Amino acid sequence: FLSCIVVIKSRSALSWYQTYSTALQFAKLTSAYLFFRMNIYLGLVYCFVCIVRLYFLPDDEIKLPDEITYINDLSECKNDYWMLELYTTFSPACQRVAPVFADLSRQYGCDKLKFGKVDVGRNQAIAQKFRLKLGAMSQQIPTMALMKDGECVEIRPEVLSNGKLRRFHFSEENIIKEFHLNQVYQKANG
């Protein structure tokens, strides 16, 4: 039962760390339930130990510096290549994609290939330029766009000619493949 819950909850995880954290979280909940069923005092002691451990030994991820510029105006993207993430602060999908985008900025960021983030919730004009539909149920958020000299070269997820949205899974491998980041990096450095 625990394995089924972990698989269901972590199916949209983008890294092994997210899957591992979900598994441990549900294992702790299951252990607490079993301790309470065996003896209420053991359950209380276990919960107390978990709270003390969480307070004194938090699970901090190592925060490495990234190469991301926060953009409020697209005129900043007129020169060179720019990889943009169009996001909103209220979207859980954007929060899941953020570490992947930061990793890519560390791997591929250079003088002529820059990474930027645009909060389209605050910049409606940019959202309109990319024809994004904003809202809590929008399937277009997050969106990634590759810009070259101020023009959009690639965008994901993309709206097809019939008006339907072609979905996109924002994994590191998919982003590298769809945006041809290896080739763009070579062009930017060459």
Side-chain angles (χ1 to χ4, degrees):
F1 179 72
L2 176 63
S3 298
C4 291
I5 291 200
V6 168
V7 167
I8 290 169
K9 286 292 190 179
S10 62
R11 68 178 179 245
S12 62
L14 296 176
S15 69
W16 67 270
Y17 184 80
Q18 291 173 341
T19 304
Y20 179 71
S21 296
T22 302
L24 287 181
Q25 175 186 6
F26 283 102
K28 288 176 191 171
L29 289 173
T30 304
S31 297
Y33 172 73
L34 293 174
F35 276 124
F36 273 114
R37 284 207 51 185
M38 189 168 46
N39 185 334
I40 194 161
Y41 296 113
L42 286 176
L44 290 173
V45 168
Y46 179 77
C47 288
F48 177 75
V49 168
C50 285
I51 291 170
V52 168
R53 184 225 160 264
L54 181 66
Y55 183 73
F56 289 109
L57 302 169
D59 294 334
D60 287 334
E61 273 189 77
I62 298 172
K63 303 285 187 209
L64 297 173
D66 54 37
E67 300 293 327
I68 297 174
T69 305
Y70 289 87
I71 297 172
N72 291 319
D73 186 13
L74 288 180
S75 65
E76 298 176 42
C77 304
K78 287 199 182 217
N79 298 328
D80 304 321
Y81 286 97
W82 279 83
M83 184 74 183
L84 296 180
E85 178 189 353
L86 308 169
Y87 75 101
T88 59
T89 55
F90 59 81
S91 171
C94 294
Q95 294 169 2
R96 284 192 302 270
V97 170
V100 173
F101 193 70
D103 286 343
L104 289 171
S105 76
R106 283 189 286 278
Q107 291 175 29
Y108 291 96
C110 62
D111 289 339
K112 300 209 181 254
L113 174 57
K114 298 175 183 154
F115 285 74
K117 290 180 89 169
V118 180
D119 184 354
V120 290
R122 293 183 181 175
N123 296 302
Q124 299 290 324
I126 295 175
Q128 289 172 354
K129 181 181 184 325
F130 286 98
R131 292 186 219 124
L132 299 179
K133 294 178 183 172
L134 301 179
M137 302 303 287
S138 175
Q139 297 293 316
Q140 286 184 285
I141 301 297
T143 293
M144 288 196 188
L146 179 65
M147 310 279 286
K148 181 181 181 191
D149 298 325
E151 296 296 320
C152 183
V153 178
E154 293 284 338
I155 190 166
R156 297 290 182 278
E158 64 182 326
V159 179
L160 301 174
S161 59
N162 62 3
K164 291 187 179 180
L165 187 68
R166 183 177 148 220
R167 292 184 179 225
F168 184 74
H169 180 69
F170 289 99
S171 68
E172 187 171 327
E173 297 83 23
N174 286 348
I175 294 169
I176 292 169
K177 183 179 95 177
E178 289 289 321
F179 290 98
H180 311 287
L181 283 182
N182 290 324
Q183 292 88 347
V184 170
Y185 183 74
Q186 287 175 354
K187 286 179 188 175
N189 282 331

